[in-house]
Amino acid sequence: MEGWVYALLAVVCWGLEAIIVKAAGDHVDSLTGTGISCITAGLVFLLYLAGIGKISGQVFNRSGILYGLAGIVSFAFGHYLYYTAINKSGAALSSSLVATYPILTVLIAAMFLGEPLTIRSGIGTLLIVVGGLVLLA
């Protein structure tokens, strides 16, 4: 499958996530909801990885550690903040504002990973900024 197909499937998952969190938000606080999400997802992935034989010492290298750090930053902290935003501001506004994260990604990728800043990435980033400002107005 092409990379863009995976990206579109991720969009569907994240769009559904905002709706599910908003539906659950009144009955469980955001911190507890984030914990439940992290534990559930972790258990599902652990069982899946064990089932396909991917649990080995190979996961305890630099890449494995960085994936772990990404999970803490994104899934634990990021989702807690996202779930709190959804419960306080609604699914539509929160998911739209969170969708502006590519601005930060483009800048960090250029500064620290040496990825080029292109006209396309510049225009796309500008459109994201304008969209975020429209939502805040």
Side-chain angles (χ1 to χ4, degrees):
M1 218 177 348
E2 296 286 330
W4 63 268
V5 176
Y6 286 100
L8 289 178
L9 291 172
V11 167
V12 171
C13 291
W14 288 328
L16 291 173
E17 177 189 28
I19 301 305
I20 293 167
V21 169
K22 181 60 181 174
D26 293 336
H27 305 291
V28 173
D29 65 276
S30 299
L31 185 61
T32 303
T34 303
I36 292 168
S37 294
C38 288
I39 291 167
T40 304
L43 288 174
V44 167
F45 268 95
L46 180 64
L47 292 172
Y48 175 71
L49 292 173
I52 63 171
K54 292 284 189 176
I55 301 290
S56 70
Q58 293 176 339
V59 298
F60 298 108
N61 58 25
R62 181 178 183 276
S63 292
I65 291 167
L66 288 174
Y67 271 113
L69 178 61
I72 292 167
V73 170
S74 175
F75 199 71
F77 296 136
H79 277 79
Y80 166 69
L81 296 169
Y82 180 46
Y83 292 174
T84 301
I86 289 170
N87 289 322
K88 291 183 177 284
S89 300
L93 176 64
S94 298
S95 62
S96 298
L97 287 175
V98 167
T100 63
Y101 78 87
I103 298 165
L104 184 61
T105 303
V106 166
L107 294 175
I108 291 174
M111 291 188 302
F112 296 106
L113 301 177
E115 292 189 11
L117 287 174
T118 64
I119 296 293
R120 183 186 303 188
S121 66
I123 291 171
T125 302
L126 179 64
L127 290 171
I128 292 168
V129 171
V130 169
L133 292 173
V134 166
L135 290 169
L136 291 174

